[in-house]
């Protein structure tokens, strides 16, 4: 991209298509597509200190605590400080967003854009249930949406106040949403 690395954060409810759009955006803009799940698996495989801490939580099916998530991100950033990055599924809480900002400042970086893929609950729920995954029961999907509204949705205002929020209508097919994300984002980055 430019001289200064581009750091994109994808926001939206479960079922908004963050993973799909993150992969497309990463290909189109030559960004590293970073999902915390992939980072956890890589850290565990590498036997890194953060990976060893995360492994017990992953094996038990528990949520990985913020301090461990942030340690995994910090290990990644140490190796990736000059790359363009698209974070998918991170940050999930205001505390994680603030810690990410602190970490990025250590590398003289900041979030370039937070792309909020706006999808109403009834559509997100339909998408979650339509994926056919064993863990996507209606009860689980509704719980994930509830957790999103409680913990992650406040990041929309956090990034709006920081002046980096981009809102994109997430209703429609993958390609039409991808066009909206790309068109809106390239206007900000250039």
């Amino acid at each position: 991209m430019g001289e200064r690395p581009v750091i994109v954060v994808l926001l939206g409810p479960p079922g908004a298509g963050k993973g799909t759009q993150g992969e497309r955006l990463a290909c189109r803009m030559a960004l590293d597509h970073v999902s915390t799940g992939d980072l956890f698996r890589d850290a565990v495989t590498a036997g890194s200190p953060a990976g060893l801490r995360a492994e017990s939580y992953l094996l038990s099916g528990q949520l990985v605590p913020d301090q461990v998530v942030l340690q995994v991100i910090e290990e990644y950033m140490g190796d990736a400080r000059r790359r363009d990055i698209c974070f998918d599924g991170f940050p999930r809480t205001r505390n994680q967003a603030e810690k990410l900002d602190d970490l990025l400042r250590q590398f003289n970086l900041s979030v370039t854009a937070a792309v909020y893929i706006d999808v109403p609950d009834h559509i997100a729920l339909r998408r979650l249930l339509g994926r056919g995954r064993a863990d996507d029961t209606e009860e689980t999907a509704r719980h994930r949406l509830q957790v999103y509204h409680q913990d992650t949705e406040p990041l929309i205002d956090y990034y709006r106040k920081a002046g980096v929020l981009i809102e994109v209508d997430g209703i429609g097919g993958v390609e039409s949403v991808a066009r909206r994300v790309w068109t809106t984002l390239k206007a900000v980055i250039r």
Side-chain angles (χ1 to χ4, degrees), residues 65-80:
D66 277 3
Q67 63 189 35
V68 179
V69 173
L70 293 164
Q71 187 180 1
V72 169
I73 296 290
E74 189 168 358
E75 285 179 357
Y76 168 79
M77 288 300 296
D79 293 334

Side-chain angles (χ1 to χ4, degrees), residues 5 9 11-12 35 41 43 46 60 64 66 69 76 91 97 105 112-113 116 126 133 137 156 161 169 183:
V9 170
L11 300 172
S35 80
R41 284 184 286 281
S60 67
V64 179
D66 277 3
V69 173
Y76 168 79
R105 272 193 288 279
T112 309
Y116 167 47
R126 187 172 66 222
R133 294 184 189 169
T137 64
I156 297 165
K161 286 179 180 170
D169 180 359
T183 301

